Amino acid sequence: ETGVTQSPTHLIKTRGQQVTLRCSSQSGHNTVSWYQQALGQGPQFIFQYYREEENGRGNFPPRFSGLQFPNYSSELNVNALELDDSALYLCASSSRPVTGTEAFFGQGTRLTVV
Amino acid sequence: GEDVEQSLFLSVREGDSSVINCTYTDSSSTYLYWYKQEPGAGLQLLTYIFSNMDMKQDQRLTVLLNKKDKHLSLRIADTQTGDSAIYFCAERNRDDKIIFGKGTRLHILP
């Protein structure tokens, strides 16, 4: 148990729809990073939030957006869903913007776009 | 660009040692990591090594780093059935972001 909770665990959406994924960070952590893990691939960095501000972004289009709340929980929003957005979405929380030795991952949300 | 490469599959007999290899391209990497992912689960940090170290040992795990060749390996001694998982090599790049390989699926033979 890492203390990082993601919801929902599974989700099916239709192409063109919008989706919101949620992540509750571990107590005491102020940084959340989001990753996309397509089938058979390693996780790809989407973006990171530190103290409610975006702190770096990977190669993802603007239809991927996020929020971090005062309690440091976070949302990932994806608009205009495409079939290729089907993946496991992982969030990782840490106590500062270093996502290596201190990051704790949630179990992920598996999104299927049909 | 940045890239982390690792073999996709490894089969090992229970009780033998497993060695998972990885190569990376970013010479400015400061940390290198090994993560474990079991079916239906998130990522678990197994171990990490600073780029100025050659070796790190932690119980059954030994990490070797050849910075000149940009080669990282993870050795698991006395491999058990519970070690069956996907193992990801990752590097921390100059922007402090983590770049993952595609993962090596470790299969344990009885």
Side-chain angles (χ1 to χ4, degrees), chain A residues 35 37 41-43 45 55 98-101 105-106, chain B residues 33 35 37 42-43 48 88 92 97-98 100-102:
Chain A
Y35 291 82
Q37 186 180 12
Q41 302 293 317
F45 175 74
N55 179 53
V98 172
T99 59
T101 61
F105 282 84
Chain B
Y33 311 94
Y35 284 86
Q37 187 175 39
L43 295 171
Y48 64 93
F88 290 95
R92 178 173 153 189
K97 300 303 178 283
I98 306 301
F100 288 85
K102 291 185 178 180

mmCIF file with all atom_site columns, all heavy atoms in Angstrom, chain A residues 35 37 41-43 45 55 98-101 105-106, chain B residues 33 35 37 42-43 48 88 92 97-98 100-102:
data_model
loop_
_atom_site.group_PDB
_atom_site.id
_atom_site.type_symbol
_atom_site.label_atom_id
_atom_site.label_alt_id
_atom_site.label_comp_id
_atom_site.label_asym_id
_atom_site.label_entity_id
_atom_site.label_seq_id
_atom_site.pdbx_PDB_ins_code
_atom_site.Cartn_x
_atom_site.Cartn_y
_atom_site.Cartn_z
_atom_site.occupancy
_atom_site.B_iso_or_equiv
_atom_site.pdbx_formal_charge
_atom_site.auth_seq_id
_atom_site.auth_comp_id
_atom_site.auth_asym_id
_atom_site.auth_atom_id
_atom_site.pdbx_PDB_model_num
ATOM 1   N N   . TYR A 1 35  ? 1.438  9.721  -15.635 1.00 0.00 ? 35  TYR A N   1
ATOM 2   C CA  . TYR A 1 35  ? 2.087  8.950  -16.690 1.00 0.00 ? 35  TYR A CA  1
ATOM 3   C C   . TYR A 1 35  ? 1.032  8.179  -17.476 1.00 0.00 ? 35  TYR A C   1
ATOM 4   O O   . TYR A 1 35  ? 0.029  7.731  -16.913 1.00 0.00 ? 35  TYR A O   1
ATOM 5   C CB  . TYR A 1 35  ? 3.088  7.940  -16.107 1.00 0.00 ? 35  TYR A CB  1
ATOM 6   C CG  . TYR A 1 35  ? 4.314  8.558  -15.494 1.00 0.00 ? 35  TYR A CG  1
ATOM 7   C CD1 . TYR A 1 35  ? 4.283  9.062  -14.202 1.00 0.00 ? 35  TYR A CD1 1
ATOM 8   C CD2 . TYR A 1 35  ? 5.506  8.641  -16.201 1.00 0.00 ? 35  TYR A CD2 1
ATOM 9   C CE1 . TYR A 1 35  ? 5.408  9.637  -13.629 1.00 0.00 ? 35  TYR A CE1 1
ATOM 10  C CE2 . TYR A 1 35  ? 6.640  9.212  -15.641 1.00 0.00 ? 35  TYR A CE2 1
ATOM 11  C CZ  . TYR A 1 35  ? 6.583  9.704  -14.358 1.00 0.00 ? 35  TYR A CZ  1
ATOM 12  O OH  . TYR A 1 35  ? 7.699  10.268 -13.793 1.00 0.00 ? 35  TYR A OH  1
ATOM 13  N N   . GLN A 1 37  ? 0.706  4.718  -19.701 1.00 0.00 ? 37  GLN A N   1
ATOM 14  C CA  . GLN A 1 37  ? 1.388  3.465  -20.037 1.00 0.00 ? 37  GLN A CA  1
ATOM 15  C C   . GLN A 1 37  ? 0.526  2.684  -21.028 1.00 0.00 ? 37  GLN A C   1
ATOM 16  O O   . GLN A 1 37  ? -0.456 2.049  -20.639 1.00 0.00 ? 37  GLN A O   1
ATOM 17  C CB  . GLN A 1 37  ? 1.666  2.632  -18.781 1.00 0.00 ? 37  GLN A CB  1
ATOM 18  C CG  . GLN A 1 37  ? 2.491  1.392  -19.066 1.00 0.00 ? 37  GLN A CG  1
ATOM 19  C CD  . GLN A 1 37  ? 2.768  0.559  -17.830 1.00 0.00 ? 37  GLN A CD  1
ATOM 20  O OE1 . GLN A 1 37  ? 2.191  0.748  -16.765 1.00 0.00 ? 37  GLN A OE1 1
ATOM 21  N NE2 . GLN A 1 37  ? 3.698  -0.377 -17.952 1.00 0.00 ? 37  GLN A NE2 1
ATOM 22  N N   . GLN A 1 41  ? 4.247  -1.067 -23.276 1.00 0.00 ? 41  GLN A N   1
ATOM 23  C CA  . GLN A 1 41  ? 5.196  0.048  -23.268 1.00 0.00 ? 41  GLN A CA  1
ATOM 24  C C   . GLN A 1 41  ? 5.538  0.441  -21.833 1.00 0.00 ? 41  GLN A C   1
ATOM 25  O O   . GLN A 1 41  ? 4.854  0.051  -20.886 1.00 0.00 ? 41  GLN A O   1
ATOM 26  C CB  . GLN A 1 41  ? 4.584  1.273  -23.968 1.00 0.00 ? 41  GLN A CB  1
ATOM 27  C CG  . GLN A 1 41  ? 4.153  1.028  -25.391 1.00 0.00 ? 41  GLN A CG  1
ATOM 28  C CD  . GLN A 1 41  ? 5.318  0.769  -26.305 1.00 0.00 ? 41  GLN A CD  1
ATOM 29  O OE1 . GLN A 1 41  ? 6.344  1.454  -26.237 1.00 0.00 ? 41  GLN A OE1 1
ATOM 30  N NE2 . GLN A 1 41  ? 5.193  -0.211 -27.178 1.00 0.00 ? 41  GLN A NE2 1
ATOM 31  N N   . GLY A 1 42  ? 6.583  1.228  -21.702 1.00 0.00 ? 42  GLY A N   1
ATOM 32  C CA  . GLY A 1 42  ? 6.882  1.808  -20.408 1.00 0.00 ? 42  GLY A CA  1
ATOM 33  C C   . GLY A 1 42  ? 6.053  3.063  -20.199 1.00 0.00 ? 42  GLY A C   1
ATOM 34  O O   . GLY A 1 42  ? 5.503  3.618  -21.142 1.00 0.00 ? 42  GLY A O   1
ATOM 35  N N   . PRO A 1 43  ? 5.947  3.518  -18.975 1.00 0.00 ? 43  PRO A N   1
ATOM 36  C CA  . PRO A 1 43  ? 5.188  4.744  -18.700 1.00 0.00 ? 43  PRO A CA  1
ATOM 37  C C   . PRO A 1 43  ? 5.814  5.952  -19.379 1.00 0.00 ? 43  PRO A C   1
ATOM 38  O O   . PRO A 1 43  ? 7.031  6.089  -19.415 1.00 0.00 ? 43  PRO A O   1
ATOM 39  C CB  . PRO A 1 43  ? 5.281  4.870  -17.173 1.00 0.00 ? 43  PRO A CB  1
ATOM 40  C CG  . PRO A 1 43  ? 5.603  3.500  -16.688 1.00 0.00 ? 43  PRO A CG  1
ATOM 41  C CD  . PRO A 1 43  ? 6.449  2.879  -17.755 1.00 0.00 ? 43  PRO A CD  1
ATOM 42  N N   . PHE A 1 45  ? 5.843  10.150 -19.419 1.00 0.00 ? 45  PHE A N   1
ATOM 43  C CA  . PHE A 1 45  ? 5.530  11.300 -18.573 1.00 0.00 ? 45  PHE A CA  1
ATOM 44  C C   . PHE A 1 45  ? 4.568  12.244 -19.287 1.00 0.00 ? 45  PHE A C   1
ATOM 45  O O   . PHE A 1 45  ? 4.830  12.662 -20.420 1.00 0.00 ? 45  PHE A O   1
ATOM 46  C CB  . PHE A 1 45  ? 6.835  12.020 -18.230 1.00 0.00 ? 45  PHE A CB  1
ATOM 47  C CG  . PHE A 1 45  ? 6.666  13.295 -17.461 1.00 0.00 ? 45  PHE A CG  1
ATOM 48  C CD1 . PHE A 1 45  ? 6.317  13.271 -16.125 1.00 0.00 ? 45  PHE A CD1 1
ATOM 49  C CD2 . PHE A 1 45  ? 6.861  14.520 -18.073 1.00 0.00 ? 45  PHE A CD2 1
ATOM 50  C CE1 . PHE A 1 45  ? 6.170  14.440 -15.410 1.00 0.00 ? 45  PHE A CE1 1
ATOM 51  C CE2 . PHE A 1 45  ? 6.726  15.697 -17.368 1.00 0.00 ? 45  PHE A CE2 1
ATOM 52  C CZ  . PHE A 1 45  ? 6.387  15.657 -16.030 1.00 0.00 ? 45  PHE A CZ  1
ATOM 53  N N   . ASN A 1 55  ? 4.402  21.895 -13.425 1.00 0.00 ? 55  ASN A N   1
ATOM 54  C CA  . ASN A 1 55  ? 5.862  21.959 -13.261 1.00 0.00 ? 55  ASN A CA  1
ATOM 55  C C   . ASN A 1 55  ? 6.525  21.006 -14.259 1.00 0.00 ? 55  ASN A C   1
ATOM 56  O O   . ASN A 1 55  ? 7.191  20.078 -13.884 1.00 0.00 ? 55  ASN A O   1
ATOM 57  C CB  . ASN A 1 55  ? 6.229  21.583 -11.819 1.00 0.00 ? 55  ASN A CB  1
ATOM 58  C CG  . ASN A 1 55  ? 7.720  21.604 -11.568 1.00 0.00 ? 55  ASN A CG  1
ATOM 59  O OD1 . ASN A 1 55  ? 8.374  22.595 -11.836 1.00 0.00 ? 55  ASN A OD1 1
ATOM 60  N ND2 . ASN A 1 55  ? 8.280  20.514 -11.072 1.00 0.00 ? 55  ASN A ND2 1
ATOM 61  N N   . VAL A 1 98  ? 10.753 15.818 -7.367  1.00 0.00 ? 98  VAL A N   1
ATOM 62  C CA  . VAL A 1 98  ? 11.754 14.845 -7.795  1.00 0.00 ? 98  VAL A CA  1
ATOM 63  C C   . VAL A 1 98  ? 11.028 13.532 -7.874  1.00 0.00 ? 98  VAL A C   1
ATOM 64  O O   . VAL A 1 98  ? 10.519 13.051 -6.879  1.00 0.00 ? 98  VAL A O   1
ATOM 65  C CB  . VAL A 1 98  ? 12.918 14.750 -6.782  1.00 0.00 ? 98  VAL A CB  1
ATOM 66  C CG1 . VAL A 1 98  ? 13.831 13.605 -7.139  1.00 0.00 ? 98  VAL A CG1 1
ATOM 67  C CG2 . VAL A 1 98  ? 13.673 16.059 -6.756  1.00 0.00 ? 98  VAL A CG2 1
ATOM 68  N N   . THR A 1 99  ? 10.925 12.958 -9.019  1.00 0.00 ? 99  THR A N   1
ATOM 69  C CA  . THR A 1 99  ? 10.025 11.805 -9.178  1.00 0.00 ? 99  THR A CA  1
ATOM 70  C C   . THR A 1 99  ? 10.798 10.508 -9.279  1.00 0.00 ? 99  THR A C   1
ATOM 71  O O   . THR A 1 99  ? 10.394 9.606  -9.960  1.00 0.00 ? 99  THR A O   1
ATOM 72  C CB  . THR A 1 99  ? 9.151  11.988 -10.425 1.00 0.00 ? 99  THR A CB  1
ATOM 73  O OG1 . THR A 1 99  ? 10.003 12.106 -11.574 1.00 0.00 ? 99  THR A OG1 1
ATOM 74  C CG2 . THR A 1 99  ? 8.295  13.212 -10.300 1.00 0.00 ? 99  THR A CG2 1
ATOM 75  N N   . GLY A 1 100 ? 11.890 10.394 -8.602  1.00 0.00 ? 100 GLY A N   1
ATOM 76  C CA  . GLY A 1 100 ? 12.668 9.164  -8.657  1.00 0.00 ? 100 GLY A CA  1
ATOM 77  C C   . GLY A 1 100 ? 12.624 8.395  -7.367  1.00 0.00 ? 100 GLY A C   1
ATOM 78  O O   . GLY A 1 100 ? 11.841 7.490  -7.179  1.00 0.00 ? 100 GLY A O   1
ATOM 79  N N   . THR A 1 101 ? 13.452 8.774  -6.454  1.00 0.00 ? 101 THR A N   1
ATOM 80  C CA  . THR A 1 101 ? 13.586 7.992  -5.235  1.00 0.00 ? 101 THR A CA  1
ATOM 81  C C   . THR A 1 101 ? 12.420 8.172  -4.288  1.00 0.00 ? 101 THR A C   1
ATOM 82  O O   . THR A 1 101 ? 12.222 7.356  -3.402  1.00 0.00 ? 101 THR A O   1
ATOM 83  C CB  . THR A 1 101 ? 14.867 8.394  -4.488  1.00 0.00 ? 101 THR A CB  1
ATOM 84  O OG1 . THR A 1 101 ? 14.780 9.776  -4.138  1.00 0.00 ? 101 THR A OG1 1
ATOM 85  C CG2 . THR A 1 101 ? 16.085 8.174  -5.358  1.00 0.00 ? 101 THR A CG2 1
ATOM 86  N N   . PHE A 1 105 ? 3.708  5.294  -6.559  1.00 0.00 ? 105 PHE A N   1
ATOM 87  C CA  . PHE A 1 105 ? 2.720  5.180  -7.626  1.00 0.00 ? 105 PHE A CA  1
ATOM 88  C C   . PHE A 1 105 ? 1.416  4.590  -7.117  1.00 0.00 ? 105 PHE A C   1
ATOM 89  O O   . PHE A 1 105 ? 1.412  3.706  -6.247  1.00 0.00 ? 105 PHE A O   1
ATOM 90  C CB  . PHE A 1 105 ? 3.252  4.291  -8.751  1.00 0.00 ? 105 PHE A CB  1
ATOM 91  C CG  . PHE A 1 105 ? 4.235  4.982  -9.655  1.00 0.00 ? 105 PHE A CG  1
ATOM 92  C CD1 . PHE A 1 105 ? 5.575  5.066  -9.319  1.00 0.00 ? 105 PHE A CD1 1
ATOM 93  C CD2 . PHE A 1 105 ? 3.812  5.546  -10.850 1.00 0.00 ? 105 PHE A CD2 1
ATOM 94  C CE1 . PHE A 1 105 ? 6.480  5.697  -10.156 1.00 0.00 ? 105 PHE A CE1 1
ATOM 95  C CE2 . PHE A 1 105 ? 4.710  6.188  -11.688 1.00 0.00 ? 105 PHE A CE2 1
ATOM 96  C CZ  . PHE A 1 105 ? 6.045  6.266  -11.337 1.00 0.00 ? 105 PHE A CZ  1
ATOM 97  N N   . GLY A 1 106 ? 0.328  5.066  -7.699  1.00 0.00 ? 106 GLY A N   1
ATOM 98  C CA  . GLY A 1 106 ? -0.970 4.439  -7.498  1.00 0.00 ? 106 GLY A CA  1
ATOM 99  C C   . GLY A 1 106 ? -1.088 3.198  -8.369  1.00 0.00 ? 106 GLY A C   1
ATOM 100 O O   . GLY A 1 106 ? -0.191 2.882  -9.158  1.00 0.00 ? 106 GLY A O   1
ATOM 101 N N   . TYR B 2 33  ? 17.163 3.914  -12.192 1.00 0.00 ? 33  TYR B N   1
ATOM 102 C CA  . TYR B 2 33  ? 16.232 3.203  -11.321 1.00 0.00 ? 33  TYR B CA  1
ATOM 103 C C   . TYR B 2 33  ? 15.823 1.856  -11.912 1.00 0.00 ? 33  TYR B C   1
ATOM 104 O O   . TYR B 2 33  ? 15.849 1.657  -13.124 1.00 0.00 ? 33  TYR B O   1
ATOM 105 C CB  . TYR B 2 33  ? 14.935 4.025  -11.158 1.00 0.00 ? 33  TYR B CB  1
ATOM 106 C CG  . TYR B 2 33  ? 15.135 5.465  -10.807 1.00 0.00 ? 33  TYR B CG  1
ATOM 107 C CD1 . TYR B 2 33  ? 15.169 6.437  -11.799 1.00 0.00 ? 33  TYR B CD1 1
ATOM 108 C CD2 . TYR B 2 33  ? 15.275 5.849  -9.491  1.00 0.00 ? 33  TYR B CD2 1
ATOM 109 C CE1 . TYR B 2 33  ? 15.344 7.766  -11.478 1.00 0.00 ? 33  TYR B CE1 1
ATOM 110 C CE2 . TYR B 2 33  ? 15.442 7.189  -9.159  1.00 0.00 ? 33  TYR B CE2 1
ATOM 111 C CZ  . TYR B 2 33  ? 15.480 8.141  -10.166 1.00 0.00 ? 33  TYR B CZ  1
ATOM 112 O OH  . TYR B 2 33  ? 15.658 9.451  -9.840  1.00 0.00 ? 33  TYR B OH  1
ATOM 113 N N   . TYR B 2 35  ? 12.286 -0.358 -11.466 1.00 0.00 ? 35  TYR B N   1
ATOM 114 C CA  . TYR B 2 35  ? 10.942 -0.471 -10.928 1.00 0.00 ? 35  TYR B CA  1
ATOM 115 C C   . TYR B 2 35  ? 10.393 -1.855 -11.255 1.00 0.00 ? 35  TYR B C   1
ATOM 116 O O   . TYR B 2 35  ? 10.733 -2.456 -12.265 1.00 0.00 ? 35  TYR B O   1
ATOM 117 C CB  . TYR B 2 35  ? 10.003 0.562  -11.573 1.00 0.00 ? 35  TYR B CB  1
ATOM 118 C CG  . TYR B 2 35  ? 10.170 1.975  -11.063 1.00 0.00 ? 35  TYR B CG  1
ATOM 119 C CD1 . TYR B 2 35  ? 11.115 2.829  -11.614 1.00 0.00 ? 35  TYR B CD1 1
ATOM 120 C CD2 . TYR B 2 35  ? 9.366  2.460  -10.040 1.00 0.00 ? 35  TYR B CD2 1
ATOM 121 C CE1 . TYR B 2 35  ? 11.257 4.133  -11.158 1.00 0.00 ? 35  TYR B CE1 1
ATOM 122 C CE2 . TYR B 2 35  ? 9.489  3.758  -9.583  1.00 0.00 ? 35  TYR B CE2 1
ATOM 123 C CZ  . TYR B 2 35  ? 10.440 4.583  -10.149 1.00 0.00 ? 35  TYR B CZ  1
ATOM 124 O OH  . TYR B 2 35  ? 10.577 5.862  -9.687  1.00 0.00 ? 35  TYR B OH  1
ATOM 125 N N   . GLN B 2 37  ? 6.698  -4.018 -11.717 1.00 0.00 ? 37  GLN B N   1
ATOM 126 C CA  . GLN B 2 37  ? 5.255  -3.895 -11.893 1.00 0.00 ? 37  GLN B CA  1
ATOM 127 C C   . GLN B 2 37  ? 4.647  -5.281 -11.980 1.00 0.00 ? 37  GLN B C   1
ATOM 128 O O   . GLN B 2 37  ? 4.938  -6.054 -12.890 1.00 0.00 ? 37  GLN B O   1
ATOM 129 C CB  . GLN B 2 37  ? 4.914  -3.096 -13.152 1.00 0.00 ? 37  GLN B CB  1
ATOM 130 C CG  . GLN B 2 37  ? 3.419  -2.804 -13.289 1.00 0.00 ? 37  GLN B CG  1
ATOM 131 C CD  . GLN B 2 37  ? 3.116  -1.915 -14.484 1.00 0.00 ? 37  GLN B CD  1
ATOM 132 O OE1 . GLN B 2 37  ? 3.710  -2.054 -15.551 1.00 0.00 ? 37  GLN B OE1 1
ATOM 133 N NE2 . GLN B 2 37  ? 2.173  -0.990 -14.316 1.00 0.00 ? 37  GLN B NE2 1
ATOM 134 N N   . GLY B 2 42  ? 0.439  -0.829 -9.756  1.00 0.00 ? 42  GLY B N   1
ATOM 135 C CA  . GLY B 2 42  ? 1.256  0.301  -10.167 1.00 0.00 ? 42  GLY B CA  1
ATOM 136 C C   . GLY B 2 42  ? 2.723  -0.077 -10.140 1.00 0.00 ? 42  GLY B C   1
ATOM 137 O O   . GLY B 2 42  ? 3.084  -1.249 -10.112 1.00 0.00 ? 42  GLY B O   1
ATOM 138 N N   . LEU B 2 43  ? 3.587  0.930  -10.135 1.00 0.00 ? 43  LEU B N   1
ATOM 139 C CA  . LEU B 2 43  ? 5.026  0.702  -10.158 1.00 0.00 ? 43  LEU B CA  1
ATOM 140 C C   . LEU B 2 43  ? 5.595  0.747  -8.742  1.00 0.00 ? 43  LEU B C   1
ATOM 141 O O   . LEU B 2 43  ? 5.256  1.634  -7.969  1.00 0.00 ? 43  LEU B O   1
ATOM 142 C CB  . LEU B 2 43  ? 5.711  1.768  -11.006 1.00 0.00 ? 43  LEU B CB  1
ATOM 143 C CG  . LEU B 2 43  ? 5.362  1.763  -12.488 1.00 0.00 ? 43  LEU B CG  1
ATOM 144 C CD1 . LEU B 2 43  ? 5.921  2.993  -13.161 1.00 0.00 ? 43  LEU B CD1 1
ATOM 145 C CD2 . LEU B 2 43  ? 5.898  0.509  -13.147 1.00 0.00 ? 43  LEU B CD2 1
ATOM 146 N N   . TYR B 2 48  ? 17.737 2.025  -6.720  1.00 0.00 ? 48  TYR B N   1
ATOM 147 C CA  . TYR B 2 48  ? 18.251 3.066  -7.602  1.00 0.00 ? 48  TYR B CA  1
ATOM 148 C C   . TYR B 2 48  ? 19.749 3.204  -7.357  1.00 0.00 ? 48  TYR B C   1
ATOM 149 O O   . TYR B 2 48  ? 20.271 2.723  -6.340  1.00 0.00 ? 48  TYR B O   1
ATOM 150 C CB  . TYR B 2 48  ? 17.546 4.403  -7.361  1.00 0.00 ? 48  TYR B CB  1
ATOM 151 C CG  . TYR B 2 48  ? 17.788 4.985  -5.987  1.00 0.00 ? 48  TYR B CG  1
ATOM 152 C CD1 . TYR B 2 48  ? 18.825 5.882  -5.766  1.00 0.00 ? 48  TYR B CD1 1
ATOM 153 C CD2 . TYR B 2 48  ? 16.988 4.623  -4.913  1.00 0.00 ? 48  TYR B CD2 1
ATOM 154 C CE1 . TYR B 2 48  ? 19.064 6.400  -4.502  1.00 0.00 ? 48  TYR B CE1 1
ATOM 155 C CE2 . TYR B 2 48  ? 17.222 5.142  -3.657  1.00 0.00 ? 48  TYR B CE2 1
ATOM 156 C CZ  . TYR B 2 48  ? 18.248 6.025  -3.450  1.00 0.00 ? 48  TYR B CZ  1
ATOM 157 O OH  . TYR B 2 48  ? 18.477 6.534  -2.199  1.00 0.00 ? 48  TYR B OH  1
ATOM 158 N N   . PHE B 2 88  ? 11.149 -2.437 -15.016 1.00 0.00 ? 88  PHE B N   1
ATOM 159 C CA  . PHE B 2 88  ? 11.425 -1.257 -15.833 1.00 0.00 ? 88  PHE B CA  1
ATOM 160 C C   . PHE B 2 88  ? 12.722 -0.600 -15.380 1.00 0.00 ? 88  PHE B C   1
ATOM 161 O O   . PHE B 2 88  ? 12.915 -0.326 -14.187 1.00 0.00 ? 88  PHE B O   1
ATOM 162 C CB  . PHE B 2 88  ? 10.295 -0.238 -15.712 1.00 0.00 ? 88  PHE B CB  1
ATOM 163 C CG  . PHE B 2 88  ? 9.017  -0.671 -16.361 1.00 0.00 ? 88  PHE B CG  1
ATOM 164 C CD1 . PHE B 2 88  ? 8.028  -1.287 -15.629 1.00 0.00 ? 88  PHE B CD1 1
ATOM 165 C CD2 . PHE B 2 88  ? 8.810  -0.456 -17.718 1.00 0.00 ? 88  PHE B CD2 1
ATOM 166 C CE1 . PHE B 2 88  ? 6.843  -1.698 -16.224 1.00 0.00 ? 88  PHE B CE1 1
ATOM 167 C CE2 . PHE B 2 88  ? 7.626  -0.853 -18.324 1.00 0.00 ? 88  PHE B CE2 1
ATOM 168 C CZ  . PHE B 2 88  ? 6.649  -1.477 -17.577 1.00 0.00 ? 88  PHE B CZ  1
ATOM 169 N N   . ARG B 2 92  ? 16.759 9.376  -14.744 1.00 0.00 ? 92  ARG B N   1
ATOM 170 C CA  . ARG B 2 92  ? 16.297 10.731 -14.458 1.00 0.00 ? 92  ARG B CA  1
ATOM 171 C C   . ARG B 2 92  ? 17.101 11.672 -15.350 1.00 0.00 ? 92  ARG B C   1
ATOM 172 O O   . ARG B 2 92  ? 18.329 11.708 -15.254 1.00 0.00 ? 92  ARG B O   1
ATOM 173 C CB  . ARG B 2 92  ? 16.526 11.057 -12.990 1.00 0.00 ? 92  ARG B CB  1
ATOM 174 C CG  . ARG B 2 92  ? 16.137 12.463 -12.578 1.00 0.00 ? 92  ARG B CG  1
ATOM 175 C CD  . ARG B 2 92  ? 16.250 12.589 -11.089 1.00 0.00 ? 92  ARG B CD  1
ATOM 176 N NE  . ARG B 2 92  ? 16.503 13.931 -10.669 1.00 0.00 ? 92  ARG B NE  1
ATOM 177 C CZ  . ARG B 2 92  ? 16.818 14.265 -9.433  1.00 0.00 ? 92  ARG B CZ  1
ATOM 178 N NH1 . ARG B 2 92  ? 16.917 13.336 -8.514  1.00 0.00 ? 92  ARG B NH1 1
ATOM 179 N NH2 . ARG B 2 92  ? 17.015 15.514 -9.119  1.00 0.00 ? 92  ARG B NH2 1
ATOM 180 N N   . LYS B 2 97  ? 13.032 14.668 -15.081 1.00 0.00 ? 97  LYS B N   1
ATOM 181 C CA  . LYS B 2 97  ? 11.886 13.823 -15.395 1.00 0.00 ? 97  LYS B CA  1
ATOM 182 C C   . LYS B 2 97  ? 12.396 12.394 -15.596 1.00 0.00 ? 97  LYS B C   1
ATOM 183 O O   . LYS B 2 97  ? 13.534 12.174 -15.978 1.00 0.00 ? 97  LYS B O   1
ATOM 184 C CB  . LYS B 2 97  ? 11.181 14.323 -16.651 1.00 0.00 ? 97  LYS B CB  1
ATOM 185 C CG  . LYS B 2 97  ? 10.652 15.750 -16.504 1.00 0.00 ? 97  LYS B CG  1
ATOM 186 C CD  . LYS B 2 97  ? 9.716  15.901 -15.346 1.00 0.00 ? 97  LYS B CD  1
ATOM 187 C CE  . LYS B 2 97  ? 9.216  17.319 -15.167 1.00 0.00 ? 97  LYS B CE  1
ATOM 188 N NZ  . LYS B 2 97  ? 10.193 18.226 -14.556 1.00 0.00 ? 97  LYS B NZ  1
ATOM 189 N N   . ILE B 2 98  ? 11.509 11.446 -15.327 1.00 0.00 ? 98  ILE B N   1
ATOM 190 C CA  . ILE B 2 98  ? 11.894 10.042 -15.392 1.00 0.00 ? 98  ILE B CA  1
ATOM 191 C C   . ILE B 2 98  ? 11.531 9.471  -16.761 1.00 0.00 ? 98  ILE B C   1
ATOM 192 O O   . ILE B 2 98  ? 10.389 9.588  -17.200 1.00 0.00 ? 98  ILE B O   1
ATOM 193 C CB  . ILE B 2 98  ? 11.195 9.229  -14.292 1.00 0.00 ? 98  ILE B CB  1
ATOM 194 C CG1 . ILE B 2 98  ? 11.453 9.869  -12.927 1.00 0.00 ? 98  ILE B CG1 1
ATOM 195 C CG2 . ILE B 2 98  ? 11.673 7.786  -14.314 1.00 0.00 ? 98  ILE B CG2 1
ATOM 196 C CD1 . ILE B 2 98  ? 12.896 9.966  -12.558 1.00 0.00 ? 98  ILE B CD1 1
ATOM 197 N N   . PHE B 2 100 ? 11.353 6.013  -18.891 1.00 0.00 ? 100 PHE B N   1
ATOM 198 C CA  . PHE B 2 100 ? 11.274 4.575  -18.676 1.00 0.00 ? 100 PHE B CA  1
ATOM 199 C C   . PHE B 2 100 ? 11.596 3.789  -19.939 1.00 0.00 ? 100 PHE B C   1
ATOM 200 O O   . PHE B 2 100 ? 11.303 4.242  -21.050 1.00 0.00 ? 100 PHE B O   1
ATOM 201 C CB  . PHE B 2 100 ? 9.856  4.173  -18.238 1.00 0.00 ? 100 PHE B CB  1
ATOM 202 C CG  . PHE B 2 100 ? 9.490  4.586  -16.842 1.00 0.00 ? 100 PHE B CG  1
ATOM 203 C CD1 . PHE B 2 100 ? 8.987  5.854  -16.579 1.00 0.00 ? 100 PHE B CD1 1
ATOM 204 C CD2 . PHE B 2 100 ? 9.635  3.698  -15.790 1.00 0.00 ? 100 PHE B CD2 1
ATOM 205 C CE1 . PHE B 2 100 ? 8.640  6.232  -15.293 1.00 0.00 ? 100 PHE B CE1 1
ATOM 206 C CE2 . PHE B 2 100 ? 9.285  4.065  -14.502 1.00 0.00 ? 100 PHE B CE2 1
ATOM 207 C CZ  . PHE B 2 100 ? 8.794  5.331  -14.248 1.00 0.00 ? 100 PHE B CZ  1
ATOM 208 N N   . GLY B 2 101 ? 12.160 2.588  -19.775 1.00 0.00 ? 101 GLY B N   1
ATOM 209 C CA  . GLY B 2 101 ? 12.238 1.628  -20.864 1.00 0.00 ? 101 GLY B CA  1
ATOM 210 C C   . GLY B 2 101 ? 10.892 0.940  -21.039 1.00 0.00 ? 101 GLY B C   1
ATOM 211 O O   . GLY B 2 101 ? 9.932  1.230  -20.316 1.00 0.00 ? 101 GLY B O   1
ATOM 212 N N   . LYS B 2 102 ? 10.834 0.003  -21.977 1.00 0.00 ? 102 LYS B N   1
ATOM 213 C CA  . LYS B 2 102 ? 9.563  -0.676 -22.256 1.00 0.00 ? 102 LYS B CA  1
ATOM 214 C C   . LYS B 2 102 ? 9.290  -1.825 -21.295 1.00 0.00 ? 102 LYS B C   1
ATOM 215 O O   . LYS B 2 102 ? 8.200  -2.385 -21.310 1.00 0.00 ? 102 LYS B O   1
ATOM 216 C CB  . LYS B 2 102 ? 9.560  -1.203 -23.693 1.00 0.00 ? 102 LYS B CB  1
ATOM 217 C CG  . LYS B 2 102 ? 9.519  -0.100 -24.725 1.00 0.00 ? 102 LYS B CG  1
ATOM 218 C CD  . LYS B 2 102 ? 9.390  -0.658 -26.123 1.00 0.00 ? 102 LYS B CD  1
ATOM 219 C CE  . LYS B 2 102 ? 9.302  0.495  -27.122 1.00 0.00 ? 102 LYS B CE  1
ATOM 220 N NZ  . LYS B 2 102 ? 9.165  0.006  -28.510 1.00 0.00 ? 102 LYS B NZ  1
#
